Amino acid sequence: MNRTQTTQLMVFVSVAELGSFRRAAEQLGIAPSAVSHAVSALEESLGVRLLARTTRSTRPTDEGARLLARVAEPFADIAAGLQEASEHDGPPSGPLRVTMALSVAEDLILPRVAEFSTRYPSIELDIRADDNFEDIIKSGCDAGVRLGESLEADMIAVRASGPRRSLIVATPDYFSRHPAPRHPTDLAQHNCIRRRFSSGRIYRWELKKGRKALNVEVQGNLILPQQTFMRRAALDSVGLAFLFEQNIAADLEAGRLVSVMEEWCPSFDGFYIYYPSRRQMRPALRAFIQFFQVGA
């Protein structure tokens, strides 16, 4: 393998992982025409087609997928090693892109982000909050934070929280005008504050008692995109809300909100920081993991 092929392989890996010639050009800092030329030249030298191109997508062929499986990780190790070497003598620094659900940002990251920024002022933390599950390789992110049940098997995961649970709550004023529900079927008689994910899907309340699990499609005249907004609406006595217990602990203690049907609201597995299985890790990512992992 000559130096030219090494460069062409690097370009191919970027296109294959990002699924786009344009995005690969942006990542590599070269012209799109140079990306196309490098991939075409590599295909010609190998005598096989590596990428299937359409007007809507770019994906590896079977031959391209096999090549990608062999060379992607070594190139990632080289890039990580170069980055680590450049940061070795100083504090963790540089851009750090982390994808997470909106609820994770609200519940786990934002309450401590000021402390993180103060401790690591040279890290440029780029939080991408979206309820759609984002492939961290294709999106160019360094890591993600999600519920443990959502993780891919080939990711390394570090626990970032203990178990969590959501509670069905409303104000004493609301319950003075509406009888408290005792069973999931009673929810049909209540105005429930619903949540719409960024994908467009409206969340179905996940309830469980013993071995009986239900996904309840509640009804109500208000739909909101974030738990912060839902809490505010619940405090204004709009209706019932299904909210993370940790986010409303002070409201419950002060009596501003009252929980019901707690036997139908079990704990679930908490959040994890996940990242690709690579031997080397940038100091900025290591700092993020050590700061936000459980017990930090």
Side-chain angles (χ1 to χ4, degrees), residues 161-198:
S161 80
R164 289 287 196 268
R165 73 168 177 169
S166 293
L167 294 176
I168 300 171
V169 297
T171 60
D173 175 65
Y174 177 85
F175 285 131
S176 71
R177 294 179 281 111
H178 304 85
R182 300 185 177 210
H183 188 272
T185 56
D186 297 336
L187 296 174
Q189 309 303 317
H190 287 268
N191 192 45
C192 296
I193 303 166
R194 294 179 287 168
R195 181 179 182 185
R196 186 186 298 277
F197 293 127
S198 53

PDB file of all heavy atoms in Angstrom, residues 161-198:
ATOM      1  N   SER A 161     -26.145   7.436  35.817  1.00  0.00           N
ATOM      2  CA  SER A 161     -27.165   7.723  36.834  1.00  0.00           C
ATOM      3  C   SER A 161     -27.617   6.417  37.454  1.00  0.00           C
ATOM      4  O   SER A 161     -27.410   5.334  36.891  1.00  0.00           O
ATOM      5  CB  SER A 161     -28.369   8.448  36.216  1.00  0.00           C
ATOM      6  OG  SER A 161     -29.235   7.532  35.558  1.00  0.00           O
ATOM      7  N   GLY A 162     -28.239   6.527  38.600  1.00  0.00           N
ATOM      8  CA  GLY A 162     -28.883   5.371  39.183  1.00  0.00           C
ATOM      9  C   GLY A 162     -30.224   5.143  38.520  1.00  0.00           C
ATOM     10  O   GLY A 162     -30.580   5.816  37.550  1.00  0.00           O
ATOM     11  N   PRO A 163     -30.999   4.184  39.020  1.00  0.00           N
ATOM     12  CA  PRO A 163     -32.330   3.951  38.458  1.00  0.00           C
ATOM     13  C   PRO A 163     -33.183   5.217  38.523  1.00  0.00           C
ATOM     14  O   PRO A 163     -32.995   6.067  39.392  1.00  0.00           O
ATOM     15  CB  PRO A 163     -32.898   2.844  39.350  1.00  0.00           C
ATOM     16  CG  PRO A 163     -31.704   2.169  39.927  1.00  0.00           C
ATOM     17  CD  PRO A 163     -30.686   3.251  40.110  1.00  0.00           C
ATOM     18  N   ARG A 164     -34.108   5.351  37.602  1.00  0.00           N
ATOM     19  CA  ARG A 164     -35.015   6.482  37.537  1.00  0.00           C
ATOM     20  C   ARG A 164     -36.450   5.963  37.510  1.00  0.00           C
ATOM     21  O   ARG A 164     -36.706   4.815  37.161  1.00  0.00           O
ATOM     22  CB  ARG A 164     -34.761   7.314  36.273  1.00  0.00           C
ATOM     23  CG  ARG A 164     -33.459   8.100  36.296  1.00  0.00           C
ATOM     24  CD  ARG A 164     -33.574   9.282  37.263  1.00  0.00           C
ATOM     25  NE  ARG A 164     -32.522  10.258  37.062  1.00  0.00           N
ATOM     26  CZ  ARG A 164     -31.373  10.274  37.700  1.00  0.00           C
ATOM     27  NH1 ARG A 164     -31.092   9.310  38.569  1.00  0.00           N
ATOM     28  NH2 ARG A 164     -30.478  11.226  37.477  1.00  0.00           N
ATOM     29  N   ARG A 165     -37.380   6.832  37.878  1.00  0.00           N
ATOM     30  CA  ARG A 165     -38.777   6.508  37.643  1.00  0.00           C
ATOM     31  C   ARG A 165     -39.554   7.791  37.404  1.00  0.00           C
ATOM     32  O   ARG A 165     -39.127   8.891  37.801  1.00  0.00           O
ATOM     33  CB  ARG A 165     -39.389   5.731  38.805  1.00  0.00           C
ATOM     34  CG  ARG A 165     -39.667   6.520  40.062  1.00  0.00           C
ATOM     35  CD  ARG A 165     -40.533   5.692  41.008  1.00  0.00           C
ATOM     36  NE  ARG A 165     -40.766   6.387  42.266  1.00  0.00           N
ATOM     37  CZ  ARG A 165     -41.666   5.980  43.166  1.00  0.00           C
ATOM     38  NH1 ARG A 165     -42.388   4.902  42.960  1.00  0.00           N
ATOM     39  NH2 ARG A 165     -41.829   6.657  44.297  1.00  0.00           N
ATOM     40  N   SER A 166     -40.670   7.650  36.709  1.00  0.00           N
ATOM     41  CA  SER A 166     -41.568   8.769  36.483  1.00  0.00           C
ATOM     42  C   SER A 166     -42.793   8.607  37.360  1.00  0.00           C
ATOM     43  O   SER A 166     -43.193   7.487  37.677  1.00  0.00           O
ATOM     44  CB  SER A 166     -41.993   8.827  35.010  1.00  0.00           C
ATOM     45  OG  SER A 166     -40.901   9.132  34.186  1.00  0.00           O
ATOM     46  N   LEU A 167     -43.381   9.723  37.760  1.00  0.00           N
ATOM     47  CA  LEU A 167     -44.570   9.718  38.603  1.00  0.00           C
ATOM     48  C   LEU A 167     -45.713  10.475  37.931  1.00  0.00           C
ATOM     49  O   LEU A 167     -45.476  11.442  37.202  1.00  0.00           O
ATOM     50  CB  LEU A 167     -44.275  10.363  39.957  1.00  0.00           C
ATOM     51  CG  LEU A 167     -43.292   9.630  40.878  1.00  0.00           C
ATOM     52  CD1 LEU A 167     -43.043  10.465  42.136  1.00  0.00           C
ATOM     53  CD2 LEU A 167     -43.813   8.243  41.249  1.00  0.00           C
ATOM     54  N   ILE A 168     -46.928  10.030  38.192  1.00  0.00           N
ATOM     55  CA  ILE A 168     -48.125  10.729  37.715  1.00  0.00           C
ATOM     56  C   ILE A 168     -48.498  11.754  38.785  1.00  0.00           C
ATOM     57  O   ILE A 168     -48.763  11.394  39.938  1.00  0.00           O
ATOM     58  CB  ILE A 168     -49.285   9.744  37.494  1.00  0.00           C
ATOM     59  CG1 ILE A 168     -48.890   8.690  36.460  1.00  0.00           C
ATOM     60  CG2 ILE A 168     -50.547  10.480  37.050  1.00  0.00           C
ATOM     61  CD1 ILE A 168     -49.889   7.551  36.338  1.00  0.00           C
ATOM     62  N   VAL A 169     -48.508  13.020  38.402  1.00  0.00           N
ATOM     63  CA  VAL A 169     -48.705  14.080  39.397  1.00  0.00           C
ATOM     64  C   VAL A 169     -49.678  15.139  38.890  1.00  0.00           C
ATOM     65  O   VAL A 169     -49.909  15.286  37.692  1.00  0.00           O
ATOM     66  CB  VAL A 169     -47.360  14.772  39.740  1.00  0.00           C
ATOM     67  CG1 VAL A 169     -46.386  13.789  40.366  1.00  0.00           C
ATOM     68  CG2 VAL A 169     -46.742  15.415  38.503  1.00  0.00           C
ATOM     69  N   ALA A 170     -50.222  15.871  39.860  1.00  0.00           N
ATOM     70  CA  ALA A 170     -51.050  17.051  39.581  1.00  0.00           C
ATOM     71  C   ALA A 170     -51.083  17.877  40.860  1.00  0.00           C
ATOM     72  O   ALA A 170     -50.578  17.456  41.912  1.00  0.00           O
ATOM     73  CB  ALA A 170     -52.456  16.668  39.136  1.00  0.00           C
ATOM     74  N   THR A 171     -51.667  19.044  40.805  1.00  0.00           N
ATOM     75  CA  THR A 171     -51.736  19.925  41.975  1.00  0.00           C
ATOM     76  C   THR A 171     -52.908  19.533  42.878  1.00  0.00           C
ATOM     77  O   THR A 171     -53.885  18.918  42.433  1.00  0.00           O
ATOM     78  CB  THR A 171     -51.924  21.377  41.538  1.00  0.00           C
ATOM     79  OG1 THR A 171     -53.156  21.484  40.798  1.00  0.00           O
ATOM     80  CG2 THR A 171     -50.762  21.857  40.692  1.00  0.00           C
ATOM     81  N   PRO A 172     -52.834  19.912  44.156  1.00  0.00           N
ATOM     82  CA  PRO A 172     -54.001  19.707  45.039  1.00  0.00           C
ATOM     83  C   PRO A 172     -55.248  20.393  44.489  1.00  0.00           C
ATOM     84  O   PRO A 172     -56.362  19.865  44.646  1.00  0.00           O
ATOM     85  CB  PRO A 172     -53.538  20.338  46.361  1.00  0.00           C
ATOM     86  CG  PRO A 172     -52.046  20.221  46.340  1.00  0.00           C
ATOM     87  CD  PRO A 172     -51.668  20.438  44.902  1.00  0.00           C
ATOM     88  N   ASP A 173     -55.071  21.534  43.842  1.00  0.00           N
ATOM     89  CA  ASP A 173     -56.229  22.230  43.265  1.00  0.00           C
ATOM     90  C   ASP A 173     -56.891  21.388  42.184  1.00  0.00           C
ATOM     91  O   ASP A 173     -58.125  21.292  42.125  1.00  0.00           O
ATOM     92  CB  ASP A 173     -55.779  23.568  42.687  1.00  0.00           C
ATOM     93  CG  ASP A 173     -56.903  24.288  41.958  1.00  0.00           C
ATOM     94  OD1 ASP A 173     -57.883  24.671  42.626  1.00  0.00           O
ATOM     95  OD2 ASP A 173     -56.806  24.450  40.720  1.00  0.00           O
ATOM     96  N   TYR A 174     -56.076  20.754  41.333  1.00  0.00           N
ATOM     97  CA  TYR A 174     -56.649  19.911  40.280  1.00  0.00           C
ATOM     98  C   TYR A 174     -57.424  18.754  40.906  1.00  0.00           C
ATOM     99  O   TYR A 174     -58.545  18.426  40.480  1.00  0.00           O
ATOM    100  CB  TYR A 174     -55.542  19.380  39.362  1.00  0.00           C
ATOM    101  CG  TYR A 174     -56.063  18.441  38.299  1.00  0.00           C
ATOM    102  CD1 TYR A 174     -56.562  18.933  37.101  1.00  0.00           C
ATOM    103  CD2 TYR A 174     -56.049  17.056  38.497  1.00  0.00           C
ATOM    104  CE1 TYR A 174     -57.061  18.076  36.121  1.00  0.00           C
ATOM    105  CE2 TYR A 174     -56.538  16.198  37.536  1.00  0.00           C
ATOM    106  CZ  TYR A 174     -57.050  16.708  36.352  1.00  0.00           C
ATOM    107  OH  TYR A 174     -57.560  15.851  35.386  1.00  0.00           O
ATOM    108  N   PHE A 175     -56.833  18.115  41.931  1.00  0.00           N
ATOM    109  CA  PHE A 175     -57.500  16.976  42.552  1.00  0.00           C
ATOM    110  C   PHE A 175     -58.717  17.399  43.372  1.00  0.00           C
ATOM    111  O   PHE A 175     -59.593  16.573  43.661  1.00  0.00           O
ATOM    112  CB  PHE A 175     -56.513  16.199  43.423  1.00  0.00           C
ATOM    113  CG  PHE A 175     -55.547  15.363  42.622  1.00  0.00           C
ATOM    114  CD1 PHE A 175     -54.189  15.422  42.884  1.00  0.00           C
ATOM    115  CD2 PHE A 175     -55.992  14.520  41.616  1.00  0.00           C
ATOM    116  CE1 PHE A 175     -53.288  14.661  42.152  1.00  0.00           C
ATOM    117  CE2 PHE A 175     -55.101  13.753  40.880  1.00  0.00           C
ATOM    118  CZ  PHE A 175     -53.744  13.821  41.146  1.00  0.00           C
ATOM    119  N   SER A 176     -58.821  18.669  43.755  1.00  0.00           N
ATOM    120  CA  SER A 176     -60.037  19.133  44.442  1.00  0.00           C
ATOM    121  C   SER A 176     -61.213  19.179  43.478  1.00  0.00           C
ATOM    122  O   SER A 176     -62.374  19.165  43.904  1.00  0.00           O
ATOM    123  CB  SER A 176     -59.802  20.521  45.048  1.00  0.00           C
ATOM    124  OG  SER A 176     -59.720  21.514  44.039  1.00  0.00           O
ATOM    125  N   ARG A 177     -60.906  19.212  42.164  1.00  0.00           N
ATOM    126  CA  ARG A 177     -61.958  19.283  41.156  1.00  0.00           C
ATOM    127  C   ARG A 177     -62.135  17.977  40.384  1.00  0.00           C
ATOM    128  O   ARG A 177     -63.112  17.819  39.662  1.00  0.00           O
ATOM    129  CB  ARG A 177     -61.632  20.414  40.165  1.00  0.00           C
ATOM    130  CG  ARG A 177     -61.677  21.795  40.795  1.00  0.00           C
ATOM    131  CD  ARG A 177     -61.320  22.907  39.813  1.00  0.00           C
ATOM    132  NE  ARG A 177     -59.878  23.035  39.592  1.00  0.00           N
ATOM    133  CZ  ARG A 177     -59.263  22.733  38.473  1.00  0.00           C
ATOM    134  NH1 ARG A 177     -59.954  22.261  37.447  1.00  0.00           N
ATOM    135  NH2 ARG A 177     -57.953  22.887  38.349  1.00  0.00           N
ATOM    136  N   HIS A 178     -61.185  17.063  40.538  1.00  0.00           N
ATOM    137  CA  HIS A 178     -61.240  15.787  39.819  1.00  0.00           C
ATOM    138  C   HIS A 178     -60.796  14.674  40.762  1.00  0.00           C
ATOM    139  O   HIS A 178     -59.762  14.805  41.429  1.00  0.00           O
ATOM    140  CB  HIS A 178     -60.319  15.803  38.597  1.00  0.00           C
ATOM    141  CG  HIS A 178     -60.585  16.925  37.648  1.00  0.00           C
ATOM    142  ND1 HIS A 178     -60.035  18.185  37.812  1.00  0.00           N
ATOM    143  CD2 HIS A 178     -61.349  16.990  36.530  1.00  0.00           C
ATOM    144  CE1 HIS A 178     -60.429  18.969  36.822  1.00  0.00           C
ATOM    145  NE2 HIS A 178     -61.238  18.270  36.042  1.00  0.00           N
ATOM    146  N   PRO A 179     -61.530  13.570  40.823  1.00  0.00           N
ATOM    147  CA  PRO A 179     -61.125  12.464  41.695  1.00  0.00           C
ATOM    148  C   PRO A 179     -59.800  11.857  41.236  1.00  0.00           C
ATOM    149  O   PRO A 179     -59.557  11.708  40.032  1.00  0.00           O
ATOM    150  CB  PRO A 179     -62.275  11.460  41.557  1.00  0.00           C
ATOM    151  CG  PRO A 179     -62.911  11.780  40.238  1.00  0.00           C
ATOM    152  CD  PRO A 179     -62.772  13.260  40.073  1.00  0.00           C
ATOM    153  N   ALA A 180     -58.925  11.540  42.184  1.00  0.00           N
ATOM    154  CA  ALA A 180     -57.613  10.992  41.844  1.00  0.00           C
ATOM    155  C   ALA A 180     -57.767   9.626  41.173  1.00  0.00           C
ATOM    156  O   ALA A 180     -58.552   8.796  41.628  1.00  0.00           O
ATOM    157  CB  ALA A 180     -56.761  10.860  43.100  1.00  0.00           C
ATOM    158  N   PRO A 181     -57.045   9.370  40.097  1.00  0.00           N
ATOM    159  CA  PRO A 181     -57.116   8.059  39.441  1.00  0.00           C
ATOM    160  C   PRO A 181     -56.467   6.983  40.308  1.00  0.00           C
ATOM    161  O   PRO A 181     -55.488   7.236  40.999  1.00  0.00           O
ATOM    162  CB  PRO A 181     -56.340   8.277  38.145  1.00  0.00           C
ATOM    163  CG  PRO A 181     -55.367   9.360  38.474  1.00  0.00           C
ATOM    164  CD  PRO A 181     -56.087  10.267  39.425  1.00  0.00           C
ATOM    165  N   ARG A 182     -57.026   5.785  40.252  1.00  0.00           N
ATOM    166  CA  ARG A 182     -56.484   4.670  41.016  1.00  0.00           C
ATOM    167  C   ARG A 182     -56.005   3.537  40.120  1.00  0.00           C
ATOM    168  O   ARG A 182     -55.289   2.656  40.573  1.00  0.00           O
ATOM    169  CB  ARG A 182     -57.540   4.137  41.976  1.00  0.00           C
ATOM    170  CG  ARG A 182     -58.018   5.189  42.970  1.00  0.00           C
ATOM    171  CD  ARG A 182     -58.975   4.612  43.974  1.00  0.00           C
ATOM    172  NE  ARG A 182     -59.385   5.593  44.957  1.00  0.00           N
ATOM    173  CZ  ARG A 182     -59.716   5.313  46.212  1.00  0.00           C
ATOM    174  NH1 ARG A 182     -59.663   4.062  46.625  1.00  0.00           N
ATOM    175  NH2 ARG A 182     -60.088   6.256  47.042  1.00  0.00           N
ATOM    176  N   HIS A 183     -56.431   3.563  38.865  1.00  0.00           N
ATOM    177  CA  HIS A 183     -56.109   2.496  37.926  1.00  0.00           C
ATOM    178  C   HIS A 183     -55.879   3.135  36.560  1.00  0.00           C
ATOM    179  O   HIS A 183     -56.452   4.194  36.264  1.00  0.00           O
ATOM    180  CB  HIS A 183     -57.263   1.479  37.860  1.00  0.00           C
ATOM    181  CG  HIS A 183     -56.946   0.263  37.059  1.00  0.00           C
ATOM    182  ND1 HIS A 183     -57.161   0.198  35.681  1.00  0.00           N
ATOM    183  CD2 HIS A 183     -56.433  -0.948  37.412  1.00  0.00           C
ATOM    184  CE1 HIS A 183     -56.787  -0.988  35.241  1.00  0.00           C
ATOM    185  NE2 HIS A 183     -56.347  -1.700  36.273  1.00  0.00           N
ATOM    186  N   PRO A 184     -55.042   2.512  35.703  1.00  0.00           N
ATOM    187  CA  PRO A 184     -54.808   3.097  34.378  1.00  0.00           C
ATOM    188  C   PRO A 184     -56.069   3.411  33.589  1.00  0.00           C
ATOM    189  O   PRO A 184     -56.095   4.377  32.818  1.00  0.00           O
ATOM    190  CB  PRO A 184     -53.961   2.028  33.680  1.00  0.00           C
ATOM    191  CG  PRO A 184     -53.195   1.388  34.790  1.00  0.00           C
ATOM    192  CD  PRO A 184     -54.145   1.358  35.955  1.00  0.00           C
ATOM    193  N   THR A 185     -57.123   2.629  33.782  1.00  0.00           N
ATOM    194  CA  THR A 185     -58.369   2.916  33.049  1.00  0.00           C
ATOM    195  C   THR A 185     -58.986   4.240  33.495  1.00  0.00           C
ATOM    196  O   THR A 185     -59.729   4.863  32.725  1.00  0.00           O
ATOM    197  CB  THR A 185     -59.379   1.781  33.253  1.00  0.00           C
ATOM    198  OG1 THR A 185     -59.599   1.581  34.670  1.00  0.00           O
ATOM    199  CG2 THR A 185     -58.879   0.480  32.640  1.00  0.00           C
ATOM    200  N   ASP A 186     -58.679   4.691  34.714  1.00  0.00           N
ATOM    201  CA  ASP A 186     -59.224   5.964  35.209  1.00  0.00           C
ATOM    202  C   ASP A 186     -58.614   7.159  34.489  1.00  0.00           C
ATOM    203  O   ASP A 186     -59.192   8.255  34.519  1.00  0.00           O
ATOM    204  CB  ASP A 186     -58.976   6.107  36.716  1.00  0.00           C
ATOM    205  CG  ASP A 186     -59.677   5.032  37.529  1.00  0.00           C
ATOM    206  OD1 ASP A 186     -60.674   4.478  37.041  1.00  0.00           O
ATOM    207  OD2 ASP A 186     -59.209   4.756  38.649  1.00  0.00           O
ATOM    208  N   LEU A 187     -57.456   6.973  33.859  1.00  0.00           N
ATOM    209  CA  LEU A 187     -56.789   8.099  33.205  1.00  0.00           C
ATOM    210  C   LEU A 187     -57.615   8.668  32.061  1.00  0.00           C
ATOM    211  O   LEU A 187     -57.464   9.834  31.688  1.00  0.00           O
ATOM    212  CB  LEU A 187     -55.417   7.663  32.683  1.00  0.00           C
ATOM    213  CG  LEU A 187     -54.400   7.236  33.755  1.00  0.00           C
ATOM    214  CD1 LEU A 187     -53.134   6.688  33.100  1.00  0.00           C
ATOM    215  CD2 LEU A 187     -54.062   8.408  34.672  1.00  0.00           C
ATOM    216  N   ALA A 188     -58.506   7.860  31.500  1.00  0.00           N
ATOM    217  CA  ALA A 188     -59.357   8.324  30.404  1.00  0.00           C
ATOM    218  C   ALA A 188     -60.291   9.440  30.849  1.00  0.00           C
ATOM    219  O   ALA A 188     -60.800  10.202  30.014  1.00  0.00           O
ATOM    220  CB  ALA A 188     -60.158   7.160  29.832  1.00  0.00           C
ATOM    221  N   GLN A 189     -60.519   9.556  32.158  1.00  0.00           N
ATOM    222  CA  GLN A 189     -61.417  10.585  32.685  1.00  0.00           C
ATOM    223  C   GLN A 189     -60.673  11.875  33.032  1.00  0.00           C
ATOM    224  O   GLN A 189     -61.271  12.812  33.552  1.00  0.00           O
ATOM    225  CB  GLN A 189     -62.121  10.058  33.950  1.00  0.00           C
ATOM    226  CG  GLN A 189     -62.778   8.703  33.779  1.00  0.00           C
ATOM    227  CD  GLN A 189     -63.789   8.695  32.645  1.00  0.00           C
ATOM    228  OE1 GLN A 189     -64.572   9.644  32.501  1.00  0.00           O
ATOM    229  NE2 GLN A 189     -63.779   7.628  31.859  1.00  0.00           N
ATOM    230  N   HIS A 190     -59.386  11.929  32.729  1.00  0.00           N
ATOM    231  CA  HIS A 190     -58.573  13.082  33.131  1.00  0.00           C
ATOM    232  C   HIS A 190     -57.957  13.789  31.931  1.00  0.00           C
ATOM    233  O   HIS A 190     -57.754  13.201  30.862  1.00  0.00           O
ATOM    234  CB  HIS A 190     -57.454  12.625  34.075  1.00  0.00           C
ATOM    235  CG  HIS A 190     -57.944  12.275  35.443  1.00  0.00           C
ATOM    236  ND1 HIS A 190     -57.981  13.182  36.483  1.00  0.00           N
ATOM    237  CD2 HIS A 190     -58.433  11.100  35.930  1.00  0.00           C
ATOM    238  CE1 HIS A 190     -58.463  12.585  37.558  1.00  0.00           C
ATOM    239  NE2 HIS A 190     -58.743  11.322  37.256  1.00  0.00           N
ATOM    240  N   ASN A 191     -57.669  15.072  32.150  1.00  0.00           N
ATOM    241  CA  ASN A 191     -56.933  15.850  31.168  1.00  0.00           C
ATOM    242  C   ASN A 191     -55.450  15.598  31.417  1.00  0.00           C
ATOM    243  O   ASN A 191     -54.896  16.040  32.422  1.00  0.00           O
ATOM    244  CB  ASN A 191     -57.252  17.341  31.311  1.00  0.00           C
ATOM    245  CG  ASN A 191     -56.734  18.147  30.141  1.00  0.00           C
ATOM    246  OD1 ASN A 191     -56.894  17.761  28.992  1.00  0.00           O
ATOM    247  ND2 ASN A 191     -56.106  19.278  30.418  1.00  0.00           N
ATOM    248  N   CYS A 192     -54.811  14.864  30.519  1.00  0.00           N
ATOM    249  CA  CYS A 192     -53.402  14.490  30.693  1.00  0.00           C
ATOM    250  C   CYS A 192     -52.526  15.361  29.797  1.00  0.00           C
ATOM    251  O   CYS A 192     -52.825  15.546  28.610  1.00  0.00           O
ATOM    252  CB  CYS A 192     -53.195  13.017  30.358  1.00  0.00           C
ATOM    253  SG  CYS A 192     -54.085  11.883  31.458  1.00  0.00           S
ATOM    254  N   ILE A 193     -51.477  15.884  30.373  1.00  0.00           N
ATOM    255  CA  ILE A 193     -50.522  16.701  29.620  1.00  0.00           C
ATOM    256  C   ILE A 193     -49.603  15.743  28.878  1.00  0.00           C
ATOM    257  O   ILE A 193     -48.835  14.996  29.488  1.00  0.00           O
ATOM    258  CB  ILE A 193     -49.713  17.605  30.571  1.00  0.00           C
ATOM    259  CG1 ILE A 193     -50.668  18.480  31.377  1.00  0.00           C
ATOM    260  CG2 ILE A 193     -48.720  18.453  29.796  1.00  0.00           C
ATOM    261  CD1 ILE A 193     -50.015  19.150  32.576  1.00  0.00           C
ATOM    262  N   ARG A 194     -49.681  15.770  27.561  1.00  0.00           N
ATOM    263  CA  ARG A 194     -48.934  14.812  26.753  1.00  0.00           C
ATOM    264  C   ARG A 194     -47.631  15.402  26.235  1.00  0.00           C
ATOM    265  O   ARG A 194     -47.451  16.614  26.208  1.00  0.00           O
ATOM    266  CB  ARG A 194     -49.803  14.336  25.578  1.00  0.00           C
ATOM    267  CG  ARG A 194     -51.017  13.521  26.044  1.00  0.00           C
ATOM    268  CD  ARG A 194     -51.870  13.101  24.860  1.00  0.00           C
ATOM    269  NE  ARG A 194     -52.610  14.226  24.294  1.00  0.00           N
ATOM    270  CZ  ARG A 194     -53.245  14.184  23.118  1.00  0.00           C
ATOM    271  NH1 ARG A 194     -53.194  13.076  22.393  1.00  0.00           N
ATOM    272  NH2 ARG A 194     -53.917  15.226  22.689  1.00  0.00           N
ATOM    273  N   ARG A 195     -46.738  14.502  25.821  1.00  0.00           N
ATOM    274  CA  ARG A 195     -45.446  14.933  25.293  1.00  0.00           C
ATOM    275  C   ARG A 195     -45.240  14.404  23.885  1.00  0.00           C
ATOM    276  O   ARG A 195     -45.454  13.220  23.616  1.00  0.00           O
ATOM    277  CB  ARG A 195     -44.302  14.444  26.176  1.00  0.00           C
ATOM    278  CG  ARG A 195     -42.948  14.908  25.644  1.00  0.00           C
ATOM    279  CD  ARG A 195     -41.802  14.463  26.502  1.00  0.00           C
ATOM    280  NE  ARG A 195     -40.544  14.981  25.962  1.00  0.00           N
ATOM    281  CZ  ARG A 195     -39.350  14.685  26.444  1.00  0.00           C
ATOM    282  NH1 ARG A 195     -39.240  13.885  27.487  1.00  0.00           N
ATOM    283  NH2 ARG A 195     -38.264  15.185  25.895  1.00  0.00           N
ATOM    284  N   ARG A 196     -44.831  15.311  22.985  1.00  0.00           N
ATOM    285  CA  ARG A 196     -44.499  14.906  21.623  1.00  0.00           C
ATOM    286  C   ARG A 196     -42.982  14.926  21.449  1.00  0.00           C
ATOM    287  O   ARG A 196     -42.335  15.942  21.685  1.00  0.00           O
ATOM    288  CB  ARG A 196     -45.145  15.833  20.592  1.00  0.00           C
ATOM    289  CG  ARG A 196     -44.944  15.345  19.144  1.00  0.00           C
ATOM    290  CD  ARG A 196     -45.461  16.349  18.124  1.00  0.00           C
ATOM    291  NE  ARG A 196     -46.878  16.586  18.236  1.00  0.00           N
ATOM    292  CZ  ARG A 196     -47.821  15.818  17.701  1.00  0.00           C
ATOM    293  NH1 ARG A 196     -47.464  14.733  17.035  1.00  0.00           N
ATOM    294  NH2 ARG A 196     -49.092  16.117  17.847  1.00  0.00           N
ATOM    295  N   PHE A 197     -42.419  13.795  21.021  1.00  0.00           N
ATOM    296  CA  PHE A 197     -40.995  13.729  20.749  1.00  0.00           C
ATOM    297  C   PHE A 197     -40.681  14.456  19.448  1.00  0.00           C
ATOM    298  O   PHE A 197     -41.561  14.716  18.632  1.00  0.00           O
ATOM    299  CB  PHE A 197     -40.526  12.276  20.661  1.00  0.00           C
ATOM    300  CG  PHE A 197     -40.593  11.530  21.961  1.00  0.00           C
ATOM    301  CD1 PHE A 197     -41.246  10.311  22.061  1.00  0.00           C
ATOM    302  CD2 PHE A 197     -39.998  12.049  23.103  1.00  0.00           C
ATOM    303  CE1 PHE A 197     -41.300   9.617  23.253  1.00  0.00           C
ATOM    304  CE2 PHE A 197     -40.044  11.364  24.311  1.00  0.00           C
ATOM    305  CZ  PHE A 197     -40.702  10.145  24.385  1.00  0.00           C
ATOM    306  N   SER A 198     -39.384  14.756  19.240  1.00  0.00           N
ATOM    307  CA  SER A 198     -38.992  15.468  18.036  1.00  0.00           C
ATOM    308  C   SER A 198     -39.237  14.648  16.779  1.00  0.00           C
ATOM    309  O   SER A 198     -39.294  15.190  15.678  1.00  0.00           O
ATOM    310  CB  SER A 198     -37.511  15.860  18.123  1.00  0.00           C
ATOM    311  OG  SER A 198     -36.703  14.733  18.414  1.00  0.00           O
TER     312      SER A 198
END
